[in-house]
Amino acid sequence: MTTTPDLLAEAHATFAQLFEEARVAGEPDPTAMTVATASLDARPSARTVLLKSHDLRGFVFYTHLDGRKGRDLQANPHAALLFHWPRVREGVQVRIEGGVEIVGDAEADAYFASRPRGSQLGAWASKQSETLEGRETFEQRLAQVEQEFSGRDVPRPPRWTGLRVRLQHIEFWYGAQFRLHERWLYESDLAGDWSKRMLYP
Ligand SMILES: Cc1cc2nc3c(=O)[nH]c(=O)nc-3n(C[C@H](O)[C@H](O)[C@H](O)COP(=O)(O)O)c2cc1C
């Protein structure tokens, strides 16, 4: 087992390298990742979201705070992220786990402002994960918000923001023939000291 202060940077750089390889390899969407959450009564749930930024502080995606994942993460701010890139090398899986925080307002506003207007209006019109009686109801809500914001910039809805999964645990799984897969785990202890080790496949 190795312990050095540079291991966080090494782990992040490894992610960045594989992410770029996924893009070059033509993965349909390298930013698509599964995010798993758990409710306070320990019920897990998972869904796909898109990775919008990543750095040493963690991995950011955007969502509504009132949907199921938003509610889970406010009650139990821990998440797991999962990427699978079958076209990279002989197949790569990256598993990330960590505590979750809401990004700052300025960061969320800047990202929201960069989205196409249609997506901005959709964020206002959707009551994410609530029951929808019929598609027409959503279309009516969309028409209402279109009218409401007509001729002006669409501001970020107050309950729509970014969530950052901090890097506390990251495992790289590299496929290999005959199930001789290679697994490297980087993890931080409670004091924030990083270590790196190999795992049996
Ligand atoms: C490819 C793909 C990308 C998605 N990206 C996002 C995203 O970035 N943010 C988001 O809130 N939902 C995204 N969704 C929808 C989620 O999978 C999910 O249906 C929604 O967020 C509600 O989840 P919840 O009820 O667990 O909160 C995406 C779905 C797919 C299939």
Side-chain angles (χ1 to χ4, degrees), residues 29 31-33 35 37 45-52 60-72 111 115 128-130 160-161:
D29 188 351
T31 71
M33 59 185 184
V35 54
T37 60
S45 61
R47 75 291 285 154
T48 311
V49 295
L50 301 180
L51 176 70
K52 291 301 171 182
V60 177
F61 64 93
Y62 286 85
T63 195
H64 280 272
L65 290 178
D66 298 329
R68 179 163 176 193
K69 71 181 116 30
R71 284 185 275 119
D72 277 3
Y111 173 66
R115 303 185 84 207
Q128 193 174 66
S129 309
E130 280 188 28
W160 187 99
T161 189

Side-chain angles (χ1 to χ4, degrees), residues 51-62:
L51 176 70
K52 291 301 171 182
S53 67
H54 62 90
D55 58 26
L56 294 184
R57 292 171 302 163
F59 289 68
V60 177
F61 64 93
Y62 286 85

